Amino acid sequence: MIYPHISGNKYRKLKYNLEAAKTDGFDTILTFGGAFSNHIAATAYAGKLHGLKTIGVIRGEEISQKWETNPTLKLAFEHGMLFKFISRDAYRDKNSEDFINLLKSEFGNFYLLPEGGSNALAVKGCEEILTSEDIQFDFICSSIGTGGTIAGIINASHPNQRVLGFPALKGGFLTEDIRNFTSKENWQLQTDYHFGGYAKVSAELVHFINDFKERTQIPLDPIYTGKLLYGILDLVKKDHFKPKTKILAIHTGGLQSISGMNTKLKKKKLPQITL
Ligand SMILES: *Cc1c(COP(=O)(O)O)cnc(C)c1O
């Protein structure tokens, strides 16, 4: 609800980074992401809005043949983003000094935003997710990708509140990543709700998302918020929370990924997410 194309937490994560890029005299932002990345979509749009050129380094060389059929990349392109497609192996090594220097020789100087946009300025932006009214809640729940968003929420939380993070991916080094950006201890991960891994979706999850929308009129995305709400309601069912506990679920946005996911679901003969 913050902004139609820079949805949810990605707006918060970009806010202070865009300011810094402009203050420091950069005219180009370079960042990384997968083919359905909300961060890629948001960066392209925000760049256009702020008069900054944007370059997206995209995971998967094979996508260079068919990126126009991908709604996320198509939208990013329409907002002026230039793409560089790299192999999954090269992508794993994307933060190395050699690779960054290679990018600089190809594109000139740029303001570098890490994958998912998580850095100290992104965390600062995410600290603004909570408002003083939110003190009434006992638990604050958020989905996790790279951990920047939840780190901001943890920083802004009251010590009496507990922050629960629901990773959208399997395994990884999230705990350490989050500790890099917060020194507080009032948080925990719920690692059972990734549905097989990042952007993995089952018929059960699709059914849950559609049913939730029908009952509440609130749309959820299949990669983050769908898994978050599924997890929260499952924990409620399993009496994880004491009666009368007040739970705040952060809707981080991400709805732009639904149409791309529906194309994938169709190929797998799985049900569609209702738009
Ligand atoms: C990127 C994203 C997240 C995860 O944010 P991180 O800061 O990477 O943990 C959660 N929800 C949505 C909708 C997102 O786009």
Side-chain angles (χ1 to χ4, degrees):
M1 293 176 78
I2 292 179
Y3 210 94
H5 298 292
I6 321 175
S7 84
N9 65 338
K10 297 305 187 287
Y11 172 90
R12 311 277 189 184
K13 295 175 85 169
L14 284 166
K15 182 179 166 188
Y16 291 108
N17 277 297
L18 293 171
E19 268 179 29
K22 286 203 274 191
T23 309
D24 297 346
F26 289 94
D27 64 1
T28 304
I29 291 182
L30 181 140
T31 195
F32 306 95
F36 296 96
S37 166
N38 296 322
H39 169 64
I40 288 291
T43 303
Y45 192 84
K48 184 173 179 186
L49 208 63
H50 289 259
L52 293 159
K53 285 185 261 181
T54 53
I55 299 164
V57 180
I58 310 296
R59 181 182 58 228
E61 266 170 328
E62 75 284 358
I63 296 160
S64 70
Q65 309 302 320
K66 54 178 185 200
W67 66 267
E68 281 155 309
T69 62
N70 175 301
T72 302
L73 297 180
K74 194 155 173 280
L75 198 78
F77 177 79
E78 282 163 8
H79 294 137
M81 183 174 267
L82 198 70
F83 298 129
K84 181 180 174 67
F85 297 94
I86 62 172
S87 70
R88 279 149 217 277
D89 277 345
Y91 195 85
R92 237 166 268 135
D93 217 25
K94 63 188 173 303
N95 295 321
S96 74
E97 212 179 309
D98 282 354
F99 186 62
I100 301 295
N101 284 336
L102 195 81
L103 291 171
K104 283 194 174 148
S105 63
E106 186 171 347
F107 297 110
N109 205 14
F110 48 73
Y111 184 90
L112 180 71
L113 264 180
E115 178 179 39
S118 283
N119 59 15
L121 289 177
V123 172
K124 179 179 166 188
C126 290
E127 289 171 6
E128 296 171 2
I129 290 173
L130 293 185
T131 66
S132 52
E133 285 167 34
D134 299 329
I135 188 84
Q136 61 178 300
F137 292 97
D138 306 305
F139 281 85
I140 304 161
C141 301
S142 174
S143 175
I144 304 183
T146 55
T149 301
I150 199 150
I153 293 170
I154 294 164
N155 284 340
S157 69
H158 189 271
N160 293 343
Q161 297 179 304
R162 292 207 65 76
V163 180
L164 285 189
F166 294 71
L169 32 86
K170 197 161 59 176
F173 304 94
L174 276 172
T175 302
E176 248 171 78
D177 294 340
I178 296 166
R179 288 224 167 96
N180 279 339
F181 291 115
T182 186
S183 51
K184 290 167 105 173
E185 300 283 348
N186 59 329
W187 59 279
Q188 226 178 336
L189 300 183
Q190 292 291 341
T191 53
D192 291 338
Y193 299 104
H194 54 67
F195 284 80
Y198 184 74
K200 297 275 194 306
V201 175
S202 67
E204 187 190 6
L205 182 65
V206 173
H207 175 75
F208 170 79
I209 289 170
N210 289 341
D211 183 57
F212 189 86
K213 188 176 174 201
E214 208 176 294
R215 286 187 291 130
T216 65
Q217 264 72 77
I218 299 170
L220 300 173
D221 81 287
I223 299 175
Y224 296 104
T225 55
K227 295 178 182 182
L228 168 72
L229 265 298
Y230 184 102
I232 294 171
L233 294 177
D234 190 58
L235 290 176
V236 169
K237 226 184 287 170
K238 291 175 174 159
D239 291 328
H240 179 84
F241 302 104
K242 278 193 246 155
K244 304 239 163 72
T245 300
K246 288 181 114 179
I247 304 166
L248 175 64
I250 308 291
H251 195 309
T252 39
L255 302 177
Q256 69 85 29
S257 72
I258 293 176
S259 51
M261 183 59 78
N262 272 341
T263 311
K264 246 171 91 173
L265 290 170
K266 206 169 172 179
K267 275 188 204 140
K268 293 188 172 170
K269 300 210 166 31
L270 284 166
Q272 296 279 289
I273 300 163
T274 47
L275 279 164

